Amino acid sequence: MLRTSSAAYLLARARTPEPPELADIAWLKALLPNERERALADLKVVQVEGGELLCRVGRPATYWFGVIDGLLKMSNDTAIGVPITFTGIAPGGWFGEGTVIKREAYRYNIQALRKSLVAGLTVETFHWLLDRSIPFNRFIVQQLNERLGQFIAAREIDRLGDPDARVARSLAALFHPILYPNVGSLLRITQQELGYLVGLSRQRVNEALSRLGVSEAIRVEYGGVRVLDLERLRGYGMR
DNA sequence: TCATTAAATTGTT
DNA sequence: AACAATTTAATGA
């Protein structure tokens, strides 16, 4: 039961965003009043159900997306059909700027792991801001820089043999304060969802989380994980 | 608002 | 993969 969403469909369902949802968009606050006004007018917010695809490989990029609430995953289908997950995208995270800048087609699938609120800025407005706003450019540069760091870290995670360490580092990535500023100290994610992201069974994730809890790096809660010590989580299993 | 019931999530085998 | 226990969400008085 996998529903797909065309850009037109998303647009048709979009509603005008309300202040509480937009209050947490970091880059909006840095804009000049007239630029912010235009961005606000262009922003669309849609609710997507768990399992829905926001963008598909090959579709032309029409929006730059941001997660208001919920959890998404970025993945790709390999030649043999086994999808590989690149990363999860948590509240406050924005993505797709690489593709939007080049005016190309999406190179990955973005799927909602559960019901989520997603904001979209059109390519036109994105470029309009890129052409005149220095704060906006700063945000984008920082965004690209941080994400590069995260992808390099992800390569290391893949090579880690210890499942506990993989869960720890993947979790730490989702608590990245710059890429996902609105996660806070409590990340709403089920152990099943975390299993999808890390590529482990739910049982193994459960086991890993228990140990991370014992080490005081996190506290396992119903339907989520609370970070007690982000540094400890990042360095779990290293010596 | 409260009690009951269904659904989701977790911990364990 | 299956099970029971626990927590949350939904429902209706």
Side-chain angles (χ1 to χ4, degrees), chain A residues 138-158:
Chain A
R138 279 215 194 90
F139 178 87
I140 297 298
V141 168
Q142 186 188 38
Q143 175 89 0
L144 290 170
N145 195 24
E146 293 294 342
R147 194 165 23 242
L148 177 60
Q150 204 186 40
F151 270 80
I152 289 173
R155 290 216 49 177
E156 290 180 348
I157 293 177
D158 279 341

Side-chain angles (χ1 to χ4, degrees), chain A residues 50-71:
Chain A
E52 257 188 282
L53 278 171
L54 266 165
C55 48
R56 211 189 250 289
V57 173
R59 294 287 185 78
T62 44
Y63 283 101
W64 181 51
F65 291 110
V67 181
I68 306 283
D69 190 45
L71 192 63

Side-chain angles (χ1 to χ4, degrees), chain A residues 67-154:
Chain A
V67 181
I68 306 283
D69 190 45
L71 192 63
L72 312 181
K73 98 176 169 179
M74 180 183 291
S75 67
N76 241 344
D77 294 320
T78 58
I80 36 176
V82 188
I84 53 172
T85 298
F86 293 128
T87 181
I89 306 169
W94 289 78
F95 60 94
E97 65 280 340
T99 314
V100 168
I101 287 172
K102 290 185 280 185
R103 296 182 185 273
E104 287 179 345
Y106 292 116
R107 292 189 309 239
Y108 35 72
N109 295 316
I110 299 288
Q111 190 176 16
L113 282 173
R114 65 157 182 275
K115 191 158 107 178
S116 304
L117 262 190
V118 179
L121 191 75
T122 62
V123 200
E124 292 75 24
T125 306
F126 181 91
H127 275 99
W128 185 83
L129 286 171
L130 204 61
D131 284 342
R132 70 203 69 226
S133 171
I134 287 181
F136 189 75
N137 277 270
R138 279 215 194 90
F139 178 87
I140 297 298
V141 168
Q142 186 188 38
Q143 175 89 0
L144 290 170
N145 195 24
E146 293 294 342
R147 194 165 23 242
L148 177 60
Q150 204 186 40
F151 270 80
I152 289 173

